[in-house]
Amino acid sequence: MTEIKTKGISRRTVLKGAAATVGAAVGSGAITGFPTYWAQASKDITITHIGSIYTTNPTVAEQANKDLGFTIQMQTLDNTTLINRLLTQPETVDVADFGNTSMGYFKNKGILMAIPVKEYKYWDQTVPLFTQGTYADGKPYSMEGYAPIKSQFWADETAQEYSLTPTDYLVGIPVMYNADTLGVRPDLVSHKVTSWKELVSSDFAGKVALQDGVNVGVPDAAVALQAAGLMTYVDKGNMTREEIDKTIDLLIELKRAGQFRSFWTNFDQSVQLMASGEVVLQSMFAPAVTEVRTRGIECQYLPLEEGSRGWYIFQSAMAHLDGGDKLRRDCVMEYMNWTNSGFNGVYFSRQGFYSSVPDLMKAQMDPNDYGYWYEGKAATADIIDPFGKVMEKAGALRDGGSLWDRMGNVGIWNTLMDEDRYLVRRWQDFISA
């Protein structure tokens, strides 16, 4: 199993406040010579971090506790429970992770902290998807759905409204992101799939599946309907009620004609549908495609004419920290800087997700791993996941190519529409039809 390197991780590299008064920042390298009083003062601090199954896990928590010297208590919640807790009990949380399907809930609530850009040390190394609203070549990306730049910056330190242009205050630090597309069983389809329109094609009737959620399933269906010439939209990521009604009516018609075999709600279900051959074409998450292949079953992740569906996960701090214990706030900022500094980014990169600071990962990952996951190079040795399982054999190429081959053609982003409540009701009409 490839070792995860952790060079450059230091509990003092971002130290502010009390430790800063004694000049304790040490930059990269091993942790040495920390002020004894900081260690004594912070050792009893416990930071409560809530997030998804992708961002909260015991391995990362154990390493964070070892590196930082205070305790990170991680709690994994489903998205609905997480959002409800943030909105109703924000003082019970210090740090939270959430994706672009949740960003619409935090405006004008005053529950998230305005994170000063100057307190996040990796901002200058962050990919322009987040800092500028562009791809690496400077070209602007699609603004359909909740694009990263729509929710990256607060307008000011009151943390009430988002700003489309850079300011001095971050809504969150970008942790991971990716671009999802269709997974296909090439051994079970009659022709090459190049467009989302195949999702609604009669050629695959009874052999396709959708993700059972309005923030992912609806954008996927909308892209497919538009590609097939059945619908046109002003913004597929933020439909009007009229567009929602037409979309759902078309989907109900397709469902009654037998188009959809199933609707999946989690990773394992999507894997089982493809592995069994019950479904041959469906929207999938990248690691799910890999999981199917580890079973010796052909499964491809397809670049499509209309582009992919992008997503991201932010890590944010809660507003109560600014008015509370300064030591706790300092520990939170130190932990958030730790999150993107090495171990955590390497850990999830080796599962197929991207770090927002890829150059930093390059310095810390095995060259074979980085070449395969980020640069589109053929693996020079077996690719091993963080749990010791062979994911790909030597010589394999990652579907979709390099980081910017995959992230450089996003057609729509995961979303939360203004008419979300209405959309949920209509989506249930479709599911129950």
Side-chain angles (χ1 to χ4, degrees):
M1 177 178 175
T2 306
E3 293 294 328
I4 296 177
K5 301 177 181 180
T6 57
K7 59 188 179 183
I9 315 306
S10 167
R11 61 171 303 188
R12 292 296 174 269
T13 54
V14 293
L15 194 59
K16 304 292 183 183
T21 64
V22 293
V26 295
S28 63
I31 304 172
T32 56
F34 298 144
T36 301
Y37 87 89
W38 165 271
Q40 288 300 316
S42 64
K43 67 181 179 62
D44 295 326
I45 294 285
T46 296
I47 301 301
T48 300
H49 172 187
I50 65 173
S52 71
I53 191 172
Y54 303 110
T55 58
T56 55
N57 68 73
T59 301
V60 173
E62 181 181 2
Q63 188 66 42
N65 294 338
K66 185 186 302 181
D67 289 344
L68 296 168
F70 48 85
T71 301
I72 306 300
Q73 182 184 70
M74 289 185 176
Q75 300 174 18
T76 302
L77 303 176
D78 66 83
N79 194 59
T80 300
T81 304
L82 186 149
I83 297 301
N84 183 59
R85 181 159 169 193
L86 291 180
L87 294 176
T88 61
Q89 306 171 62
E91 70 285 352
T92 68
V93 178
D94 297 305
V95 176
D97 300 329
F98 37 76
N100 34 351
T101 57
S102 301
M103 300 311 300
Y105 294 119
F106 305 125
K107 293 187 292 185
N108 299 307
K109 296 294 193 301
I111 61 173
L112 299 184
M113 187 172 90
I115 302 170
V117 172
K118 63 184 179 182
E119 292 191 45
Y120 176 51
K121 68 177 295 186
Y122 302 113
W123 190 242
D124 290 345
Q125 300 175 57
T126 301
V127 292
L129 292 172
F130 303 99
T131 59
Q132 301 297 325
T134 68
Y135 296 125
D137 60 7
K139 294 180 180 177
Y141 48 61
S142 169
M143 293 292 278
E144 295 199 43
Y146 241 104
I149 201 65
K150 287 185 176 180
S151 56
Q152 179 61 82
F153 297 96
W154 291 116
D156 54 45
E157 60 184 337
T158 62
Q160 296 292 324
E161 295 287 347
Y162 299 149
S163 171
L164 278 174
T165 55
T167 71
D168 293 332
Y169 300 99
L170 303 177
V171 176
I173 63 169
V175 177
M176 65 170 66
Y177 56 98
N178 211 326
D180 292 336
T181 180
L182 292 176
V184 63
R185 283 285 304 270
D187 55 325
L188 299 178
V189 299
S190 57
H191 62 268
K192 185 177 181 181
V193 174
T194 61
S195 169
W196 284 87
K197 68 181 181 183
E198 303 288 12
L199 205 55
V200 294
S201 167
S202 58
D203 291 347
F204 299 102
K207 291 290 184 178
V208 304
L210 283 175
Q211 203 272 344
D212 182 14
V214 297
N215 306 122
V216 175
V218 170
D220 286 348
V223 173
L225 291 172
Q226 182 164 281
L230 299 175
M231 276 290 298
T232 58
Y233 301 90
V234 175
D235 179 354
K236 296 184 290 296
N238 197 20
M239 299 178 196
T240 64
R241 286 200 176 201
E242 181 180 6
E243 289 171 333
I244 290 171
D245 285 339
K246 289 182 177 178
T247 298
I248 298 299
D249 290 347
L250 276 170
L251 291 176
I252 290 174
E253 185 177 330
L254 286 164
K255 185 181 180 187
R256 288 175 173 165
Q259 183 69 22
F260 304 107
R261 180 66 184 87
S262 187
F263 303 91
W264 58 266
T265 59
N266 60 50
F267 178 94
D268 290 336
Q269 290 173 348
S270 72
V271 170
Q272 290 302 326
L273 286 169
M274 290 296 272
S276 67
E278 190 175 353
V279 164
V280 301
L281 183 68
Q282 64 173 350
S283 175
M284 293 185 78
F285 302 152
V289 174
T290 304
E291 175 61 27
V292 174
R293 284 208 290 257
T294 62
R295 303 182 183 190
I297 299 168
E298 289 187 67
C299 191
Q300 293 179 338
Y301 212 40
L302 300 173
L304 300 172
E305 296 170 5
E306 298 81 14
S308 53
R309 174 177 39 73
W311 59 267
Y312 55 87
I313 291 179
F314 281 173
Q315 184 177 93
S316 292
M318 304 306 292
H320 67 79
L321 295 163
D322 267 339
D325 179 5
K326 186 175 184 304
L327 179 60
R328 172 175 293 278
R329 184 191 183 284
D330 290 344
C331 288
V332 164
M333 288 309 305
E334 188 173 358
Y335 171 54
M336 293 180 71
N337 277 281
W338 179 91
T339 295
N340 276 344
S341 64
F343 182 92
N344 187 46
V346 173
Y347 185 84
F348 64 67
S349 290
R350 291 174 57 210
Q351 298 175 67
F353 304 116
Y354 291 122
S355 166
S356 59
V357 285
D359 289 345
L360 192 61
M361 296 304 104
K362 185 174 186 178
Q364 305 194 49
M365 290 178 73
D366 177 277
N368 180 50
D369 283 346
Y370 190 84
Y372 174 81
W373 290 115
Y374 280 86
E375 297 179 318
K377 295 180 179 177
T380 56
D382 289 353
I383 297 297
I384 313 296
D385 74 10
F387 316 104
K389 185 177 180 180
V390 176
M391 298 183 75
E392 297 286 2
K393 293 290 188 180
L397 287 166
R398 184 176 189 183
D399 287 345
S402 69
L403 162 62
W404 290 111
D405 288 338
R406 292 169 68 98
M407 292 306 304
N409 186 29
V410 175
I412 191 171
W413 300 85
N414 284 2
T415 190
L416 181 68
M417 300 189 193
D418 293 344
E419 295 286 356
D420 177 63
R421 294 301 89 193
Y422 183 72
L423 176 60
V424 169
R425 292 198 298 273
R426 289 307 326 272
W427 180 255
Q428 290 307 313
D429 292 341
F430 165 57
I431 295 297
S432 61

